[in-house]
Amino acid sequence: MVIITRRRVIAAPGRHTGGIVSAMTDRLSPGDPAPEFTLPTDSDGTISLADLRGRKVILYAYPAAMTPGCTKQACDFRDSLASLQAAGYEVVGISPDKPAKLAKFRDRDGITFPLVADTDKTVLTAYGAYGEKQMYGRTVTGVIRSTFVIDEDGKIERALYNVRATGHVAKLRRDLGLD
């Protein structure tokens, strides 16, 4: 049984775990302040949310660079980047990968927006994008594929959890009125 409140998903006792699942994932909602961060990038620098203030930001969380689903999603953002930027959006990808792996991913797939490394998963957790999830019928702990649209003032405009790797960018573009 899973109890869902407005901002928190709490897993209760179940057969699959034999006990109470301890991790809780805080979820962000429209109007919430976006958690601040300063993280290393794929290009040996750092980026912070404060650096992006005054611009709209699409921050998307993905589990692992250079995996099939994450590659598809990153390439979809790459291929839509010009139109997203024309509409005033900056795109930033975040994963628990190390900066060196992100640089390889960027170079291999021609990613043209910043990828940031959250190796200790602190920022992913603050955004509700790290915690328990279902994978192939099992409960596991990991990155919850998510997308956050952050307005110019640093407030969450949209918080989308458990998004699909394929087709998500096209749906996001439609939801933002870009198509």
Side-chain angles (χ1 to χ4, degrees):
M1 171 171 75
V2 174
I3 302 163
I4 300 176
T5 65
R6 185 171 104 66
R7 295 187 46 178
R8 195 174 284 247
V9 176
I10 304 166
R15 288 183 318 203
H16 63 284
T17 62
I20 293 179
V21 178
S22 60
M24 293 185 287
T25 303
D26 284 331
R27 298 284 174 109
L28 298 174
S29 298
D32 287 345
E36 291 292 334
F37 63 83
T38 298
L39 292 170
T41 69
D42 57 322
S43 58
D44 293 327
T46 62
I47 194 167
S48 68
L49 189 57
D51 295 338
L52 301 169
R53 194 77 71 234
R55 293 178 267 177
K56 295 181 270 187
V57 177
I58 296 171
L59 177 68
Y60 82 96
Y62 61 97
M66 297 194 285
T67 58
C70 296
T71 298
K72 174 67 173 143
Q73 186 178 25
C75 290
D76 283 352
F77 272 113
R78 177 201 64 205
D79 295 347
S80 293
L81 189 61
S83 64
L84 289 167
Q85 288 178 329
Y89 293 95
E90 297 293 328
V91 175
V92 177
I94 182 172
S95 79
D97 296 307
K98 292 180 180 175
K101 185 174 181 184
L102 296 176
K104 270 177 128 173
F105 186 35
R106 177 199 64 219
D107 293 343
R108 186 191 79 175
D109 293 298
I111 307 301
T112 53
F113 52 84
L115 301 173
V116 297
D118 183 22
T119 56
D120 67 3
K121 304 164 193 83
T122 303
V123 176
L124 289 162
T125 301
Y127 275 81
Y130 185 82
E132 290 189 340
K133 62 183 183 177
Q134 292 294 312
M135 182 178 262
Y136 306 111
R138 293 184 17 232
T139 301
V140 298
T141 301
V143 174
I144 300 163
R145 193 181 301 276
S146 308
T147 299
F148 307 93
V149 179
I150 304 166
D151 71 14
E152 298 89 341
D153 298 321
K155 300 264 189 212
I156 298 292
E157 191 175 291
R158 295 172 192 262
L160 309 167
Y161 294 95
N162 297 310
V163 300
R164 294 179 160 270
T166 303
H168 170 63
V169 175
K171 181 183 180 327
L172 180 63
R173 290 173 48 79
R174 283 190 305 273
D175 291 350
L176 294 173
L178 303 178
D179 285 340

